[in-house]
């Protein structure tokens, strides 16, 4: 915008105006010598939300084909060297042994838990699974049955798997799970809110549920298959961590696709960048669609290559699966085993 002739500035410099319409010449102008913009205007100017500000610190403009190529390179160059007995033993100790079936009953969950107890005497040279993951109404059964040391009780909560219910219900369900003996809570982000840009609504829910959890770990499921793009996965990862997630997790296993190596790469890169920005370590949990030992080795490799050795412990790395435990155990023992 140019000044009118009657009130031309004498600084002889080209004038560039901010969004507010003010002059950048660093000269004070008397009110009658102001530019012809009449008064300061905020038209078309939107103040950045704290969520957009948080996202602005990271590169979220990702190209899916580039992510796919980088993921393929890591798998091609690095997975084979991690295909060792020691890595497989480690992976067994990272499993959240999961039963989330409509047919689950108190009797079936009790038997499921008893297998974990029996593992201690059956394989004393091996470390047990990291946790047993069940629906909230089964937490008390696991708590009453579980005898094995160093095995956590994890519960899905917050309207799992769709997250489509009232926040009051999510809070109550989470509190009841913890009261019944859960050590860890796995929730799903309200994907619909994220997809329409309601970051405040999404983050408020995570913050409220983390407040309920207190010192208990909160794992936040992004449902990466529904997010569809690498950019969305990166944004959801950052926002979940910003809101208090102790872990970020790929999937519920109820949507297709579930966990993918590409999603894992983006999430691990987000965790690394968030750590460098804040100093806070957030864990990573792939879940859903882990169908074989090779799949687990791929996720292990991505964590190792992106996050490094510091994340290779079951306090920061978990695998959500029900079938993998027997597969790993079979390869560790050298013969087919159906223990769990």
């Amino acid at each position: 915008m140019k000044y009118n002739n009657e009130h031309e500035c004498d600084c002889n410099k080209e004038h560039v105006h901010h969004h507010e319409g003010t002059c950048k010449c660093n000269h004070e102008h008397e009110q009658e010598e102001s530019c012809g913009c009449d008064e300061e205007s905020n038209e078309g100017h939107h103040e950045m939300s704290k969520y957009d500000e948080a996202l602005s610190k990271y590169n979220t403009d990702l190209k899916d084909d580039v992510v796919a190529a980088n993921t393929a390179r890591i798998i091609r160059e690095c997975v084979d060297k991690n295909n060792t007995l020691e890595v497989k033993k480690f992976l067994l100790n990272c499993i959240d042994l999961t039963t989330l079936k409509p047919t689950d009953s108190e009797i079936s969950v009790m038997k499921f838990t008893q297998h974990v107890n029996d593992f201690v005497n059956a394989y004393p040279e091996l470390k047990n699974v990291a946790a047993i993951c069940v629906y909230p109404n089964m937490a008390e059964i696991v708590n009453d049955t579980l005898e094995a040391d160093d095995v956590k009780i994890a519960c899905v909560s917050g309207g799992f798997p769709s997250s489509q219910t009232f926040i009051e219900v999510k809070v109550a369900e989470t509190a009841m799970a913890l009261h019944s003996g859960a050590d860890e809570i796995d929730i799903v982000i309200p994907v619909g809110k994220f997809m329409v840009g309601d970051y405040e609504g999404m983050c408020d829910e995570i913050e409220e549920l983390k407040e309920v959890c207190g010192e208990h770990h909160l794992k936040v499921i992004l449902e990466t298959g529904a997010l569809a793009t690498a950019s969305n996965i990166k944004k959801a990862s950052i926002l979940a961590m910003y809101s208090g997630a102790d872990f970020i997790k790929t999937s519920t296993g109820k949507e297709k696709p579930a966990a993918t190596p590409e999603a894992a790469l983006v999430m691990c890169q987000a965790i690394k960048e968030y750590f460098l920005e804040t100093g806070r370590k957030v864990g990573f949990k792939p879940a859903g669609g882990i169908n074989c030992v090779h799949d687990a080795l791929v996720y292990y490799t991505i964590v190792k290559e992106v996050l490094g050795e510091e994340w290779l412990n079951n306090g920061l790395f978990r695998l959500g699966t029900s079938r993998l435990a027997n597969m790993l155990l079979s390869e560790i023992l050298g013969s087919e085993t159906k223990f769990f």
Side-chain angles (χ1 to χ4, degrees):
M1 181 182 296
K2 295 182 180 179
Y3 286 89
N4 58 41
N5 292 332
E6 294 82 15
H7 305 295
E8 184 172 294
C9 171
D10 63 359
C11 64
N12 295 320
K13 293 183 179 179
E14 183 178 352
H15 283 73
V16 181
H17 290 265
H18 292 294
H19 292 298
E20 295 83 5
T22 57
C23 171
K24 285 184 68 177
C25 62
N26 298 321
H27 283 62
E28 291 186 7
H29 295 275
E30 296 297 328
Q31 186 169 4
E32 63 270 21
E33 294 179 331
S34 65
C35 63
C37 54
D38 296 325
E39 61 182 18
E40 189 173 308
S41 171
N42 286 321
E43 184 179 354
H45 174 70
H46 300 284
E47 185 177 349
M48 183 181 287
S49 74
K50 63 180 181 180
Y51 309 105
D52 289 322
E53 185 177 351
L55 290 173
S56 71
K57 298 177 182 179
Y58 306 89
N59 175 26
T60 59
D61 184 20
L62 305 183
K63 305 300 181 185
D64 292 339
D65 57 342
V66 174
V67 170
N70 288 338
T71 305
R73 178 186 55 78
I74 290 173
I75 293 172
R76 183 176 61 252
E77 296 178 0
C78 304
V79 170
D80 285 348
K81 65 185 178 184
N82 294 319
N83 188 6
T84 68
L85 183 63
E86 288 308 309
V87 169
K88 291 170 186 176
K89 290 179 180 179
F90 167 75
L91 290 171
L92 181 65
N93 186 230
C94 293
I95 290 177
D96 282 2
L97 194 67
T98 303
T99 180
L100 298 171
K101 302 173 184 174
T103 54
D104 286 344
S105 66
E106 292 186 358
I107 293 172
S108 69
V109 170
M110 190 179 300
K111 289 180 178 178
F112 188 79
T113 305
Q114 190 58 48
H115 289 311
V116 175
N117 292 338
D118 294 341
F119 184 88
V120 177
N121 293 324
Y123 304 102
E125 73 282 7
L126 298 175
K127 291 185 178 181
N128 215 328
V129 296
I132 296 173
C133 184
V134 294
Y135 281 111
N137 57 317
M138 296 297 172
E140 187 173 3
I141 296 299
V142 179
N143 190 46
D144 290 345
T145 308
L146 184 62
E147 298 170 355
D149 294 332
D150 301 321
V151 178
K152 303 291 186 182
I153 301 172
C155 283
V156 294
S157 185
F160 180 94
S162 68
S163 192
Q164 295 287 10
T165 190
F166 303 101
I167 184 60
E168 293 85 357
V169 173
K170 296 180 182 184
V171 167
E173 186 179 36
T174 301
M176 291 174 74
L178 293 167
H179 181 74
S180 298
D183 301 301
E184 304 172 347
I185 296 293
D186 292 34
I187 65 165
V188 186
I189 67 167
V191 178
K193 290 184 178 180
F194 172 84
M195 294 299 281
V196 298
D198 182 10
Y199 299 156
E200 182 176 9
M202 168 192 157
C203 293
D204 281 352
E205 286 198 10
I206 297 172
E207 289 173 3
E208 191 162 353
L209 293 172
K210 177 54 187 173
E211 186 175 350
V212 175
C213 289
E215 295 302 311
H216 297 280
H217 272 175
L218 178 67
K219 305 193 201 91
V220 177
I221 304 166
L222 306 184
E223 201 65 287
T224 53
L227 297 181
T229 69
S231 287
N232 279 342
I233 293 169
K234 182 73 171 288
K235 290 176 185 177
S237 298
I238 297 297
L239 291 172
M241 293 186 286
Y242 174 80
S243 302
D246 298 296
F247 268 76
I248 52 175
K249 176 178 169 182
T250 57
S251 325
T252 62
K254 309 298 184 183
E255 292 284 330
K256 304 297 181 186
T260 65
E262 293 79 11
L265 181 65
V266 173
M267 292 170 69
C268 287
Q269 288 171 337
I271 290 169
K272 180 67 173 289
E273 292 172 27
Y274 186 79
F275 170 68
L276 293 175
E277 177 70 27
T278 68
R280 189 166 78 89
K281 290 182 179 178
V282 175
F284 171 63
K285 178 180 173 180
I290 302 175
N291 296 318
C292 59
V293 172
H294 181 265
D295 290 342
L297 291 171
V298 167
Y299 293 119
Y300 172 92
T301 300
I302 290 170
V303 170
K304 183 179 179 181
E305 293 301 312
V306 178
L307 294 169
E309 300 281 350
E310 290 180 74
W311 263 260
L312 293 179
N313 60 79
N314 72 8
L316 289 169
F317 177 50
R318 297 285 181 85
L319 295 159
T321 178
S322 54
R323 68 190 77 181
L324 184 64
N326 282 330
M327 293 178 180
L328 281 169
L329 192 56
S330 296
E331 294 209 9
I332 291 167
L333 299 176
S335 61
E336 186 175 2
T337 303
K338 295 182 178 180
F339 181 84
F340 291 101

